[in-house]
Amino acid sequence: MIICSCNVLSDRHLRHAVNTADAALRNAKQIYGHPGCSAECGRCAHTMRTIIDEAYRERALACQASCPHGGTKDE
């Protein structure tokens, strides 16, 4: 789904940028800079923020699931 029509960025582009960037991409401005785009109208910023949050939440859950130290603590 196209999120930013000004730069033709899709939700897949955003998730890929979050998952492959050398440094953490935490906001729309950083996402725009990753593929060399720039913010134009800003109508997509809220949706981009939601997708960035979802991508990091998915990464955190995947990390917890594969962590040998994860799980519940014995009480």
Side-chain angles (χ1 to χ4, degrees):
M1 172 174 63
I2 297 295
I3 302 302
C4 174
S5 57
C6 296
N7 290 290
V8 192
L9 292 175
S10 70
D11 59 319
R12 292 172 63 184
H13 286 113
L14 300 179
R15 292 177 195 282
H16 179 73
V18 167
N19 291 324
T20 60
D22 292 334
L25 301 175
R26 299 282 183 188
N27 59 47
K29 183 178 179 180
Q30 292 171 325
I31 292 287
Y32 286 124
H34 185 69
C37 298
S38 62
E40 298 294 329
C41 72
R43 286 182 283 173
C44 59
H46 178 72
T47 304
M48 288 180 82
R49 176 81 250 161
T50 300
I51 291 172
I52 293 166
D53 290 345
E54 288 174 358
Y56 279 111
R57 193 169 24 258
E58 290 168 5
R59 287 181 66 182
L61 290 173
C63 181
Q64 288 174 352
S66 66
C67 180
H69 303 100
T72 59
K73 292 183 179 179
D74 294 332
E75 292 183 22

